[in-house]
Structures are given as structure tokens and as C-alpha cells.
Amino acid sequence: MRLAIDAMGGDYAPEQIVKGTLEAALDSSQVTFQLYGDEKQISQILGEQKPENIEIHHTEDVITGDDDPVRAVRRKREASLVVAAHAVKNGEADGLLSCGNTGALVASGILIVGRMTGIDRPALMATLPAIGSTRSSIQYMDAGANSDAKPLNVYQHAVLGDFYAREILGIDHPTLALLNNGTEENKGSKLLRESYAMISEDESLNFIGNMEARDILSGVADVIVADGFTGNAVLKSMEGTASSIMKLLKESVNDGGVMPKVGAYLLKDTLKEMMKSLNSEEIGGALIFGLKAPVMKAHGSSKAKAVNNALKQLEGIVASDMFSRIEEKFSITQ
Amino acid sequence: MRLAIDAMGGDYAPEQIVKGTLEAALDSSQVTFQLYGDEKQISQILGEQKPENIEIHHTEDVITGDDDPVRAVRRKREASLVVAAHAVKNGEADGLLSCGNTGALVASGILIVGRMTGIDRPALMATLPAIGSTRSSIQYMDAGANSDAKPLNVYQHAVLGDFYAREILGIDHPTLALLNNGTEENKGSKLLRESYAMISEDESLNFIGNMEARDILSGVADVIVADGFTGNAVLKSMEGTASSIMKLLKESVNDGGVMPKVGAYLLKDTLKEMMKSLNSEEIGGALIFGLKAPVMKAHGSSKAKAVNNALKQLEGIVASDMFSRIEEKFSITQ
């Protein structure tokens, strides 16, 4: 198995990307890790310790967070991400990871790697923690690959999420819910009502109906499907709320007397543990799902550990051979 | 001033609605409070203590949370909410409060009270806390009155929010941000891009551009405007995240040893204070803004204190005479 890594994308690129890849390479000696980026910088970070299963593929250019995604992918032909995506397209690599510009990664996926047969638009699928539930995690999609989704896109993403829960997570009959602004069937926007109708017509899905954003983390379903615009806004608001609460707690402790300070000290490890379970970094990357090959996005602020975790997840997906089976499913149903 | 109250709407109706109204009536002797609902039940709750400035208006029917909003408002002509809305329409009351079915309240507002001249659709405006900012609060709209907003609706809601911040909160040049899934001008769905264009063309607004959902509680702007579908989903996800974090904290404390338990005990008051500032109950109701008269929605789970707070907010809005001035503004600009 060969995995392509965009070494130049992300807030801490290339250093933390290279270090995370090094960790992964030492753990998985049977996998080849291809680092795409500035050879000089990458070599310097690796130093003497470069294992045999790491390859450096020199590239001349970089796509930044400010670049317009589609234009950058079309014009910056020598960018690390673009060259890495071509390696996947040409069968020289089996999967791709980047911590850089999400839009550019989605665009590289669509324009270079290519869409899966039967899927109109890929989705960004994130893994969220399930709190106070017997579920270990929730697959949440589309977390933001499509700003203007159509009902057909939402339906196809439901099918993809269901497939992932069965094939990769081994859940027998995964439950699926639609993120809407009310639980009744007739609730929501035209887009959501039409998506509901399409999903409920597919009897192969274990569709439990609409759900509201306040119940996402309670783990009401194995797979939550949302239109990409709402999915993105809701995910960001969960992140923001968690960090605002921690800020508020710090302020309250600082403004309080000795008792709250001692209390906070005694609770320190508990709070740290808690924030960790809400931190997507710790869990892994988000899959850009619906392409011909697995393409994964890890958070822009990923450090070595998060890069390593995302690479392990990508390795599991490639190893499962899920992609050939899902293409089969879609070509049969069409 | 006369305020109409739907005594039968809400999880704790009529008891807590009547008790909250009683508190408000004792505080504001110059205001008449009209309770619409079952006379027998209301009289029983008030008992001997009924002050002169409380009137009971007997009604025969109730709209429940399960009722289809528009149909219920059209057919249940004797429902407490419908009769109360007619009192506002006929000039027998100056404002309306309900803790019941939000959709039915919006429908009563549009179908009975009537829309403000120049406003196509009202918005639900909520007040949120600003954490770690010098702002005391944020006006957030549309929190869910419109599932399928058009750019014109979003623009008009921006104008309403700006007006409220100036006239009621006394903010000189309130900043206004648009909730989108990226900060750049060209980001987001077609709806959001077109809304951005309309808002930025109005030079009377202090528009600071797009913002992301993760920054809502940080207090980046005085007024945040969102399309109603996204605004609703994001608000619910903030509520859900806050309550999931508290659940997680409790679990961690229970599973931990003695130290975290002592810590949590010492932090108890701080945590309670903190959750209070995130609780919309404590702040007041949400205004259904864009109607001919002030109509306010308090949370379904409101108890007496929340009802009293919402009535005080409603009283302030009626007293400001804001509504006649805003109608003037819109009839000039049209």
C-alpha cells in the first residue's frame, strides 16, 4: 500500500506533517509513505532517521489557505497537493492526506482523482464523539464539501455514510438520521423535505427520520447526514461553543476566590480528558467521500500526533477495499 | 400599556405563566396584563392575590406543540393564542407573549397581527451572551422563523437588527456580521452570497462582513444575521453542545476518584453561574420582529422567572415606541 501526503499543507507544515508521517512509517513498515513537497525542507526535518518506507517527491509550488480552490488546482500544476493527487489518479498511490486548504483538496479530488461512479458530489465525512451513549462515535456528513447541495447529493451521502458504518465500522444495521430543524417529517426547508423523501424511499437504509442539532453529540444515530452548508455551520458552532465554555470557566475561576481555584486545580485532568474527547484532532481526519480513491483531510492545525492518527485511519480504509465494493453497489443500483 | 399573554402555551402552562405574570404585575403597576386562557384554572392559580392590573380573558381552546402551525391558527379560532393575537390586532393590547408552539406564534403574527410595512417576513431575534468580549450581549437573527429565506429577507432582517441595537440598546454604530461558512466575500451558498451583496450595498449599515459559527459567542459583532434555517440549527447546536459538555463533566467526575469530586464541589457555584449566562431563559425572550406590534416568544420550558423577564423585555420594547419609528424608516426608504 502507498499513501500520498501533501507535506506543504497546514498551519504547521511541513514540520509537523513530516514528523507525523515519520511516526506512522515506523508503526506500519509494510506501507510506503510518499511525502510531496520541498525536498530540502523535508530532508532536513527527517534528518538521519528517514526509514526506507518514506519517499520524498519534490514539488515546486504550494496552495495556500488564501488561494481560490478551483483556480489554484487548475493553475498551480506543480503544487504539492496537485502532484500528490495526480499520483493517486495514476495509480501510483492508493490514498491521499492533506491538512491544507479544504476547498482545494475537494477540488483536487473532483478534478484530478475523479468522482466515484454514481456519485455526483463527494461529501466531507467527520467522526464525532457520542456522549452518554453506547455508541463509540458518530459519522457526520456532509461537513462542508458542498455549499449548495441538492436533494440527490444529500441522499447519496446518506448511502455513503451507511456503507462506511457497515463496512469499516462493522455495524450491522446502522441507524441514519437527517439533520433538520424539527423532528416531524414535513419540517424544514424545501431541500431538506425533498432529501427526506428520497432517503425514506430507499428501503436498504435504516432511516430513523429527522433530528435536531441539539442532539448530535448525544449519539442518537450511527450516521448523521446534513446538507453541506448546515453541516459545516453546525460543526463550527459546536467547536466554538466548547471553546467559549472553557474560556468562561477560566474567567469565572480567575474572578472567584480561593475555593474555585482549588476546585479547578483538582478538576484539571478531568477537564483536559473531556476537551480531548471533543477534539476532532484526537479522533482523526475527515474523509472526502465519493471519489475514486480515499482522500482525507486533517485539521489545519494538526500536529504530528493528529497526522499519524489520520494516516492510520486512511490505511484502514485502503486496506478494507471498501472502495471497489461501493462502486459495485452503485453500478448495480443505477 | 396593555400586554397580552397566552396563558396556555408552554411546558409549564398555565401555572408558571400565570405566576410569572403575577410577579411582573406586582413590579409594574402601570401596565395591564391580560391573561388569555382557561378562566377557572387561571383564577385558581392566582387565588386571593389577583392584583387590579391583571385581567383574565377566558378562551375555550389551546394550540399544542403537535399542531400544524398555519392550520391551527386558521381553524382554532377560540385558542388562547389566536384570541390574544386578535386583541393585539384590534388595538386592545400593545404586545403579545407566548411560551407555546413557535410556528403557531409566527403564523399568528403574520396572519392576525400583520407584517410591518416594508417587511416581507418577520425574523425570530434571540439575545445571546458575549463571552470574553466587552459587549454585554449579541442580537442574533433569524433564529428560525423562516426555513426557506430569500436574500431580501436576510437583508431586511439585518436592517431590523441594526435598528434594534440602536434604538433599544442605545449602541451608536452597531456592528453587523453575516453568518456564513467562511469569512471571504465570495464564500457560501448562493443565498448567502446574494444576501452579502444586498447588505453591503446599504451604506447605513456598519457591515463588517461574513463570520463563521465558531465565533458567535466570542462577541465579534453587535448584530449577527443568518438565514433562518442555518440560524436555527446553529442555535440548537450551541444549546446541545453546552449540555453535552456538562453531561461529560458529570460523568468524568463520577468516574474519577475523590480529587475530581472535591474539585467539582468547590467549582459548583462557578459552574452554575456559567451555565446561567449560556441559558437564554435568564436573558429573556426572542422577539418575532417584523410585525406591526411586538410579539415575543419565551422558551417552551419557561418558568415564572423567565416569563417575568420576557414580560419586562416586552414592556421595554413597547415603551420605546420603536415600532412607529421603524415603520417610518421603511416607508421612507421604499
Side-chain angles (χ1 to χ4, degrees):
Chain A
M1 183 192 308
R2 293 154 307 170
L3 301 181
I5 299 123
D6 169 16
M8 310 309 281
D11 303 346
Y12 303 108
E15 190 180 351
Q16 295 294 322
I17 316 295
V18 173
K19 285 186 172 167
T21 304
L22 180 61
E23 283 178 23
L26 296 174
D27 291 342
S28 305
S29 57
Q30 77 292 359
V31 177
T32 302
F33 295 87
Q34 307 172 341
L35 284 164
Y36 290 82
D38 185 86
E39 185 168 20
K40 206 174 140 193
Q41 286 186 66
I42 295 172
S43 296
Q44 221 159 25
I45 299 158
L46 285 173
E48 302 287 291
Q49 42 189 347
K50 181 179 161 308
E52 278 195 10
N53 59 334
I54 288 190
E55 296 172 5
I56 304 175
H57 295 253
H58 180 69
T59 56
E60 293 284 344
D61 206 352
V62 174
I63 294 178
T64 69
D66 299 327
D67 276 322
D68 175 76
V70 173
R71 191 182 305 172
V73 169
R74 287 213 169 110
R75 296 196 186 167
K76 291 188 165 181
R77 291 164 185 272
E78 298 306 317
S80 52
L81 172 61
V82 173
V83 179
H86 275 291
V88 175
K89 160 83 178 171
N90 300 335
E92 294 150 23
D94 305 300
L96 169 63
L97 174 72
S98 175
C99 303
N101 186 323
T102 308
L105 186 57
V106 173
S108 304
I110 296 173
L111 300 174
I112 302 170
V113 176
R115 289 167 301 161
M116 203 178 258
T117 313
I119 298 291
D120 292 57
R121 298 270 317 173
L124 193 62
M125 185 181 79
T127 301
L128 303 177
I131 296 169
S133 151
T134 50
R135 289 193 172 82
S136 62
S137 67
I138 302 153
Q139 306 311 310
Y140 176 83
M141 60 207 290
D142 172 14
N146 301 282
S147 294
D148 272 308
K150 292 182 179 61
L152 180 67
N153 305 135
V154 179
Y155 163 66
Q156 290 178 346
H157 297 160
V159 174
L160 288 173
D162 172 75
F163 197 87
Y164 186 91
R166 286 175 206 262
E167 299 284 322
I168 295 287
L169 306 177
I171 302 170
D172 233 8
H173 209 45
T175 48
L176 173 85
L178 181 65
L179 186 67
N180 203 334
N181 62 7
T183 52
E184 300 86 351
E185 181 176 345
N186 61 346
K187 283 276 172 169
S189 58
K190 189 164 175 281
L191 165 63
L192 270 293
R193 290 195 307 276
E194 291 177 8
S195 302
Y196 185 106
M198 288 191 79
I199 295 170
S200 56
E201 267 167 33
D202 185 336
E203 289 177 5
S204 75
L205 298 172
N206 186 10
F207 183 45
I208 60 168
N210 286 325
M211 64 170 292
E212 294 191 283
R214 68 162 68 88
D215 297 319
I216 291 176
L217 294 175
S218 324
V220 292
D222 296 304
V223 179
I224 296 175
V225 65
D227 73 273
F229 189 85
T230 310
N232 187 268
V234 162
L235 195 63
K236 282 172 180 161
S237 92
M238 292 195 289
E239 276 181 45
T241 306
S243 83
S244 290
I245 287 179
M246 286 301 127
K247 211 197 286 174
L248 197 55
L249 188 60
K250 265 185 205 158
E251 272 173 25
S252 308
V253 168
N254 286 337
D255 295 350
V258 175
M259 296 248 290
K261 285 195 182 64
V262 176
Y265 180 79
L266 295 176
L267 261 182
K268 209 180 54 186
D269 292 344
T270 305
L271 290 171
K272 218 184 252 172
E273 228 9 80
M274 199 184 82
M275 285 310 283
K276 227 162 111 176
S277 76
L278 280 176
N279 187 341
S280 53
E281 295 291 290
E282 298 283 337
I283 302 173
L287 182 65
I288 300 176
F289 201 7
L291 300 172
K292 279 197 195 309
V295 172
M296 189 156 265
K297 166 75 171 76
H299 208 286
S301 60
S302 290
K303 296 203 173 174
K305 190 183 169 185
V307 172
N308 184 5
N309 282 344
L311 282 171
K312 291 221 158 41
Q313 200 181 341
L314 185 57
E315 198 185 315
I317 294 168
V318 173
S320 76
D321 198 30
M322 177 182 81
F323 273 66
S324 57
R325 273 172 293 145
I326 201 167
E327 287 237 20
E328 218 171 272
K329 181 188 160 87
F330 271 101
S331 41
I332 289 166
T333 54
Q334 288 213 328
Chain B
M1 184 191 308
R2 292 154 306 169
L3 302 181
I5 299 123
D6 169 18
M8 310 308 281
D11 303 346
Y12 303 108
E15 191 181 351
Q16 295 295 321
I17 316 296
V18 173
K19 286 186 171 167
T21 304
L22 180 61
E23 285 177 22
L26 296 173
D27 292 343
S28 305
S29 56
Q30 77 292 358
V31 178
T32 301
F33 295 87
Q34 307 171 340
L35 283 164
Y36 289 82
D38 185 85
E39 186 168 19
K40 207 174 138 193
Q41 287 185 65
I42 296 172
S43 296
Q44 220 159 27
I45 299 159
L46 285 172
E48 301 287 293
Q49 42 190 347
K50 182 181 159 305
E52 279 195 11
N53 60 334
I54 287 190
E55 296 172 5
I56 304 176
H57 295 252
H58 180 69
T59 56
E60 293 283 344
D61 206 352
V62 175
I63 293 178
T64 68
D66 299 327
D67 276 322
D68 174 76
V70 173
R71 191 181 306 174
V73 169
R74 288 213 167 111
R75 297 196 184 168
K76 291 189 166 181
R77 290 165 184 272
E78 297 307 318
S80 52
L81 172 62
V82 173
V83 180
H86 275 291
V88 175
K89 159 82 178 172
N90 300 335
E92 294 150 23
D94 305 300
L96 170 62
L97 174 72
S98 175
C99 305
N101 186 322
T102 309
L105 186 58
V106 173
S108 305
I110 296 173
L111 300 173
I112 302 170
V113 177
R115 289 165 302 162
M116 202 178 258
T117 314
I119 298 291
D120 291 56
R121 297 272 315 174
L124 192 63
M125 185 180 79
T127 302
L128 302 177
I131 296 169
S133 152
T134 51
R135 290 193 171 81
S136 62
S137 66
I138 302 153
Q139 305 312 309
Y140 177 82
M141 62 205 293
D142 173 13
N146 301 282
S147 294
D148 273 307
K150 292 182 179 58
L152 180 67
N153 304 134
V154 179
Y155 163 66
Q156 289 178 347
H157 298 160
V159 174
L160 288 173
D162 172 76
F163 198 86
Y164 186 90
R166 288 175 206 262
E167 298 286 320
I168 295 285
L169 306 177
I171 302 170
D172 234 8
H173 208 45
T175 48
L176 173 85
L178 181 65
L179 185 67
N180 203 334
N181 61 7
T183 51
E184 301 86 351
E185 181 176 345
N186 62 346
K187 281 278 173 168
S189 58
K190 189 163 174 282
L191 165 64
L192 270 292
R193 290 194 307 275
E194 290 178 10
S195 302
Y196 185 105
M198 288 191 78
I199 295 170
S200 57
E201 267 167 32
D202 185 336
E203 288 177 5
S204 76
L205 298 171
N206 186 10
F207 183 45
I208 60 168
N210 286 325
M211 64 172 292
E212 294 192 283
R214 67 163 68 88
D215 297 319
I216 292 176
L217 294 174
S218 324
V220 293
D222 295 305
V223 179
I224 296 175
V225 65
D227 73 273
F229 189 85
T230 310
N232 187 268
V234 162
L235 194 62
K236 282 174 180 160
S237 91
M238 292 196 288
E239 277 181 45
T241 306
S243 85
S244 289
I245 287 179
M246 285 302 127
K247 209 195 292 175
L248 198 55
L249 188 60
K250 266 184 204 157
E251 272 173 25
S252 308
V253 168
N254 285 336
D255 296 349
V258 175
M259 296 249 289
K261 285 194 183 64
V262 176
Y265 180 78
L266 295 175
L267 262 181
K268 208 180 55 185
D269 292 344
T270 306
L271 290 171
K272 219 185 251 171
E273 232 3 84
M274 197 185 84
M275 284 311 282
K276 227 162 111 177
S277 75
L278 279 176
N279 187 342
S280 52
E281 296 291 290
E282 299 284 336
I283 301 173
L287 183 65
I288 300 175
F289 201 7
L291 300 171
K292 279 198 195 309
V295 172
M296 189 155 268
K297 166 74 171 76
H299 208 285
S301 61
S302 291
K303 296 203 175 176
K305 190 184 170 185
V307 172
N308 184 6
N309 281 345
L311 283 170
K312 292 220 158 41
Q313 200 181 340
L314 185 58
E315 198 186 315
I317 293 169
V318 173
S320 75
D321 198 31
M322 178 181 82
F323 274 66
S324 58
R325 275 173 291 145
I326 201 167
E327 287 238 19
E328 217 172 272
K329 181 187 159 88
F330 271 101
S331 41
I332 289 166
T333 53
Q334 288 214 324

